[in-house]
Amino acid sequence: MSNAIPKLITAVAQLRKKLAAVRREGKRIGLVPTMGALHEGHLSLVRAAKGECGCAVVSIYVNPTQFGPNEDFSKYPRTLEADLKLLAGCGADVVFAPTNDEVYAAGHATWVEVGAVAEPLEGQCRPGHFRGVATVVLKFFNMVQPDAAYFGQKDFQQAAVIRRMTADLNLPLAIRVCPTVREPDGLAMSSRNRYLSPAARQRALVLWRSLQTAVKLVQEGQRDASRIVARMREMIETAEDARIDYIALVDPDTLQPVGRITGRTLAVLAVKIENTRLIDNCLLEPKG
Ligand code: AMP
């Protein structure tokens, strides 16, 4: 595989021209939508796109409409040079990093609202977030027209929202969801981890530890969701500066809370550590 820096494109017209040539070569196109500040989690999606489709397109765009007024849009890390170097090592063919004007032209007034799966959890804590996500992802789908698009399990609800939108709007592409990539100590990789001080980075491990505790409790036969959530809450509350947005055990398809664990269940949480909001999740699979 070549280690060439991928072609950087900022205009939709140029993108369409480049991708028409790729299609003429008989290649399929895999899209990895990102907000940049790339890490190994993003790169795993790029490798999957390249392997399955032959041509991997990575979009890098910090989408203003998915951030709330008091969120981190202005301070979100923007590291395009470093991102391009990382992408050179994993087979990305095209990086599409459009300007705001290219994405939201003057007079933009159309929004995508996804129903029930977008409402709980992140939807409740971040009003308008999924409206911004669904809208920008649909725009990228239309700009790139990929055969498949790749998302991370780490943002489980986001993947569910995109899957719902894709089915409901009859979009002609496959949605792939790839496993969460973690640091060796278990912390889920995230562009926001770089906000954490070294001490907070250590405290943030309690998220993964509490998810592991949920797995262990289920393995030991615990089926009462409220007891598992209570144990997770207790653990997280011991970390200094930890503020819990939610901890929940939900049905992985509907994202509605479950009372008893009778089948595959998703443990999900969102916690602020030292003002950095982190999310993570883990599948619980009861045996027998
Ligand atoms: P972001 O740039 O944070 O919007 O993420 C872009 C894509 O990368 C989304 O589909 C995320 O779910 C995915 N992603 C982010 N972190 C990870 C991770 N640690 N492992 C796997 N995928 C990830």
Side-chain angles (χ1 to χ4, degrees), residues 32-45 59 61 66 76 150-156 158-159 176-183 187-193:
V32 181
T34 82
M35 298 204 298
L38 301 182
H39 51 66
E40 194 51 42
H42 300 111
L43 303 187
S44 71
L45 304 181
S59 63
Y61 180 61
Q66 71 189 68
Y76 198 84
Y150 295 78
F151 296 87
Q153 164 96 8
K154 176 174 166 278
D155 298 88
F156 188 92
Q158 171 173 282
R176 302 262 189 261
V177 181
C178 302
T180 301
V181 178
R182 299 181 179 280
E183 301 286 355
L187 182 69
M189 288 191 182
S190 163
S191 306
R192 290 188 169 98
N193 290 352

Side-chain angles (χ1 to χ4, degrees), residues 69-88:
N70 298 316
E71 294 184 357
D72 56 344
F73 173 68
S74 55
K75 79 162 189 180
Y76 198 84
R78 289 156 171 90
T79 59
L80 186 59
E81 287 304 310
D83 291 348
L84 290 174
K85 285 192 187 131
L86 284 174
L87 289 170

Side-chain angles (χ1 to χ4, degrees), residues 26-283:
K27 283 189 189 149
R28 286 157 38 92
I29 293 168
L31 170 66
V32 181
T34 82
M35 298 204 298
L38 301 182
H39 51 66
E40 194 51 42
H42 300 111
L43 303 187
S44 71
L45 304 181
V46 178
R47 289 190 197 99
K50 179 75 176 177
E52 287 179 17
C53 295
C55 173
V57 176
V58 180
S59 63
I60 297 184
Y61 180 61
V62 185
N63 173 35
T65 68
Q66 71 189 68
F67 288 80
N70 298 316
E71 294 184 357
D72 56 344
F73 173 68
S74 55
K75 79 162 189 180
Y76 198 84
R78 289 156 171 90
T79 59
L80 186 59
E81 287 304 310
D83 291 348
L84 290 174
K85 285 192 187 131
L86 284 174
L87 289 170
C90 61
D93 298 274
V94 174
V95 174
F96 178 50
T99 58
N100 280 330
D101 289 347
E102 198 76 10
V103 181
Y104 295 104
H108 176 273
T110 303
W111 299 96
V112 181
E113 294 268 5
V114 178
V117 290
E119 282 163 14
L121 308 171
E122 291 298 287
Q124 208 160 36
C125 295
R126 304 183 68 187
H129 172 65
F130 285 127
R131 175 189 196 248
V133 169
T135 302
V136 86
V137 169
L138 180 60
K139 281 170 161 289
F140 279 107
F141 285 177
N142 285 329
M143 291 188 266
V144 175
Q145 298 186 282
D147 296 281
Y150 295 78
F151 296 87
Q153 164 96 8
K154 176 174 166 278
D155 298 88
F156 188 92
Q157 190 176 13
Q158 171 173 282
V161 166
I162 300 301
R163 254 201 308 254
R164 185 76 260 155
M165 172 182 83
T166 302
D168 289 354
L169 300 182
N170 308 95
L171 304 179
L173 78 160
I175 302 299
R176 302 262 189 261
V177 181
C178 302
T180 301
V181 178
R182 299 181 179 280
E183 301 286 355
D185 60 10
L187 182 69
M189 288 191 182
S190 163
S191 306
R192 290 188 169 98
N193 290 352
R194 64 185 80 195
Y195 298 150
L196 297 166
S197 68
R201 162 74 181 71
Q202 272 311 106
R203 295 203 293 279
L205 285 178
V206 76
L207 274 73
W208 176 233
R209 287 205 199 106
S210 73
L211 290 168
Q212 294 289 88
T213 297
V215 170
K216 186 162 154 277
L217 289 171
V218 170
Q219 274 167 2
E220 289 168 1
Q222 181 58 264
R223 295 291 180 264
D224 182 338
S226 66
R227 283 179 187 260
I228 297 174
V229 168
R231 273 289 292 283
M232 294 172 73
R233 181 172 292 277
E234 250 171 52
M235 281 183 76
I236 292 175
E237 281 172 348
T238 62
E240 186 192 327
D241 258 356
R243 278 180 296 138
I244 298 168
D245 267 0
Y246 59 78
I247 302 174
L249 264 48
V250 301
D251 179 303
D253 297 319
T254 63
L255 295 173
Q256 291 304 308
V258 299
R260 285 199 68 75
I261 299 171
T262 53
R264 291 165 76 247
T265 301
L266 194 75
V268 283
L269 43 76
V271 178
K272 284 198 187 100
I273 303 273
E274 197 187 60
N275 276 327
T276 295
R277 190 171 183 281
L278 302 173
I279 60 172
D280 201 351
N281 65 76
C282 177
L283 206 54

